[in-house]
Structure formats: structure tokens, C-alpha cells
């Protein structure tokens, strides 16, 4: 049931979006600062290892790939497409992200 899926999601974590630069692929994907967690990239679930995140972004460079994003404000997961690429700013996404546990959200 949906309730058990929600509990499983809250025990997990993802890469929380802390900054989105104007004109970046992250902005084009409508990532929401503070509230959005990137849970998987192109079907690969994210774990606490930043190398997992980085390697999937590099692998996806210049391609349009699906990502699953959990929003703690709406408590819903959505699928969006992002196109990591050199865009004139820092990084391939133009976002600052850091792994965070969803279970810590209530304490922040």
C-alpha cells in the first residue's frame, strides 16, 4: 500500500538540492532548493556515496535522462528529465547538492 512505500522512502535518503543556478540544467528541470531530493538518476538509486551521484551525472552528459525527485514539502515523488551538460557555469547540473537522510527532515 501507499503508506508502506512512504515509510520506506522516509528511511532512505537522496541528494538534497541546496542551490540552483540561473540558466542551468537544474533550473530547466525545475529543481526546488531545500525541498527536493534526487533519489535516482536514470534508474540507479542514490546512496550516500558522492561518487555514485557524480558518475551517473558524468555518464549522462549531453543526454536527456530521467531522475526521480522526492519533495519534502509536498511529500510526493515526481519524475523529471534533466540534461547534464557544460552550460556556462560550474558543474554539469548547475546545482549544489549533498546527501541527506529523509528521516532528518522533520528536525530541520
Amino acid at each position: 500500500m501507499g503508506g508502506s512505500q512512504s515509510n520506506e522512502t522516509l528511511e532512505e535518503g537522496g541528494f538534497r538540492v541546496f542551490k540552483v543556478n540561473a540558466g542551468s540544467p537544474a533550473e530547466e528541470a525545475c529543481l526546488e532548493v531545500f525541498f527536493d531530493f534526487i533519489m535516482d538518476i536514470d534508474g540507479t538509486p542514490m546512496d550516500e556515496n558522492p561518487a555514485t551521484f557524480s558518475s551517473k551525472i558524468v555518464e549522462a552528459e549531453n543526454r536527456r535522462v530521467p531522475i526521480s525527485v522526492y519533495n519534502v514539502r509536498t511529500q510526493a515523488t515526481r519524475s523529471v528529465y534533466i540534461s547534464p551538460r557544460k552550460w556556462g557555469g560550474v558543474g554539469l547540473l548547475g546545482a549544489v547538492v549533498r546527501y541527506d537522510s529523509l528521516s532528518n527532515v522533520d528536525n530541520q
Side-chain angles (χ1 to χ4, degrees), residues 15-38 67 69-74 78 93-98 100 105 108:
F15 281 85
R16 190 176 209 165
V17 179
F18 284 98
K19 180 179 180 183
V20 173
N21 293 306
S24 69
E27 183 185 52
E28 293 168 2
C30 298
L31 295 182
E32 188 175 2
V33 172
F34 188 71
F35 298 109
D36 277 348
F37 285 72
I38 299 171
I67 61 173
V69 179
Y70 180 76
N71 185 285
V72 296
R73 185 177 47 77
T74 63
R78 68 188 190 281
L93 290 184
V96 174
V97 300
R98 185 182 73 223
D100 200 1
V105 168
Q108 298 176 5

Side-chain angles (χ1 to χ4, degrees), residues 6 19-20 25-27 33 39 48 54 60 64 71 74 76 81 89 92 94 100 102:
S6 295
K19 180 179 180 183
V20 173
E27 183 185 52
V33 172
M39 304 302 290
E48 63 278 352
S54 297
R64 185 173 177 255
N71 185 285
T74 63
Y81 284 87
L92 296 176
D100 200 1
L102 291 173

Side-chain angles (χ1 to χ4, degrees), residues 1-92:
M1 291 184 64
S4 66
Q5 289 177 347
S6 295
N7 290 337
E8 289 171 12
T9 299
L10 291 175
E11 293 172 5
E12 298 174 359
F15 281 85
R16 190 176 209 165
V17 179
F18 284 98
K19 180 179 180 183
V20 173
N21 293 306
S24 69
E27 183 185 52
E28 293 168 2
C30 298
L31 295 182
E32 188 175 2
V33 172
F34 188 71
F35 298 109
D36 277 348
F37 285 72
I38 299 171
M39 304 302 290
D40 81 51
I41 300 171
D42 203 15
T44 300
M46 295 294 98
D47 57 32
E48 63 278 352
N49 186 350
T52 304
F53 181 87
S54 297
S55 67
K56 290 306 290 182
I57 294 300
V58 169
E59 181 181 303
E61 186 175 1
N62 297 317
R63 292 190 305 121
R64 185 173 177 255
V65 295
I67 61 173
S68 293
V69 179
Y70 180 76
N71 185 285
V72 296
R73 185 177 47 77
T74 63
Q75 297 184 9
T77 300
R78 68 188 190 281
S79 293
V80 298
Y81 284 87
I82 196 162
S83 301
R85 65 185 182 283
K86 294 182 176 120
W87 58 279
V90 177
L92 296 176

